[in-house]
Amino acid sequence: MVRVITINNFKGGVSKTSTTNGIAYILAEKMNKKVLVIDLDPQADATETLLLTYKKQVKNSLYETLKEREDINYCLTNLSKNMDLVPSSFNMIGFPSLLEEQGYNRKTGATLIDQLIRPIKENYDYILIDTPPTISDYSSNAIYACDYSLIVMQTHRRSYRAVSSFIEYLALFKDIYQVDFEIAGILPVMFKKSGKVDRTVLQDSINKYNTYLLNHYVYQRDRVKLWDETGITDEDYHDKRTLNMYENITNDLLNEIKEYESEW
């Protein structure tokens, strides 16, 4: 059974996209799972990193597919035996306008990506959706299509406060759209492991969200910064240390999903 997971955050620059790519890489290349990454972000950072990783090129983007009303195979890009990509491009900045041009309203427009991927969903074990850090048509489409939301939270006070707002938004979204999904967890991102603010916010998060927090966190790794230039690599000690971090996070995520599903 496929699980669709959207990676969400209200604030840019908090390792959301690298987390998406790191989890996807671990699932596909270390755990031998069939994975699809859908990049809804007009910045296309997830797309660029994965294309570098697998040394692939894109024929058609998601925006072109939607504009031409093609099916998803028009833009589906095979990266490896276990991973495919629905690539973004800067043209995705026109996604809200495209929805309007094609006759969608604010509510029906949230269903488009779910409709697009429905014919191929069962080809995968996991589908990960990367979105811009906003409440918008992009995030609405991702949330409508998902089974689980993973919330990425930087250990800064503003990001901490935004988590509460986002959880309230998810509850409202469920009511409006009558969809069923779960919060798979909250993933803390600590850029300064010994920073006073980071440690204080982390402790407040543990006190407030308790079991929602994953057991392992994202820490600053210079090797992740190199992914923008080299793609994800698995060659030396620093590579393996970084991938081990994401493997621990992925295991936490899968354990949370398993626990939810054991209660069904």
Side-chain angles (χ1 to χ4, degrees), residues 7-107:
I7 291 79
N8 300 112
N9 185 271
F10 276 171
K11 186 177 181 296
V14 297
S15 296
K16 177 180 60 63
T17 296
S18 56
T19 296
T20 302
N21 285 343
I23 292 173
Y25 185 88
I26 294 298
L27 287 169
E29 309 306 336
K30 301 296 184 181
M31 297 183 176
N32 199 33
K33 302 296 183 182
K34 297 292 184 182
V35 178
L36 173 65
V37 176
I38 301 174
D39 189 358
L40 296 185
D41 193 335
Q43 293 187 70
D45 290 337
T47 294
E48 291 179 8
T49 297
L50 290 175
L51 292 177
L52 279 170
T53 300
Y54 294 99
K55 297 177 174 55
K56 299 284 186 175
Q57 293 184 335
V58 168
K59 291 184 179 179
N60 301 298
S61 70
L62 174 59
Y63 181 81
E64 293 166 326
T65 302
L66 297 174
K67 186 174 183 179
E68 299 300 325
R69 299 179 186 266
E70 296 283 352
D71 67 41
I72 195 168
N73 291 296
Y74 188 71
C75 66
L76 195 64
T77 303
N78 176 250
L79 299 178
S80 72
K81 181 186 73 171
N82 286 335
M83 194 187 301
D84 291 338
L85 169 69
V86 172
S88 188
S89 64
F90 185 70
N91 287 341
M92 270 300 281
I93 199 168
F95 181 54
S97 298
L98 183 63
L99 290 174
E100 186 176 344
E101 290 169 11
Q102 294 187 349
Y104 292 95
N105 59 36
R106 180 55 59 89
K107 188 171 183 179

Side-chain angles (χ1 to χ4, degrees), residues 113-127:
I113 296 301
D114 183 61
Q115 295 175 43
L116 185 72
I117 66 174
R118 198 171 295 164
I120 64 166
K121 280 176 69 172
E122 296 304 323
N123 295 342
Y124 301 97
D125 297 305
Y126 296 96
I127 297 175

Side-chain angles (χ1 to χ4, degrees), residues 230-245:
T230 65
I232 300 171
T233 51
D234 186 9
E235 297 171 358
D236 61 21
Y237 166 79
H238 298 289
D239 289 332
K240 296 184 187 306
R241 182 167 175 256
T242 299
L243 291 175
N244 182 66
M245 176 179 72

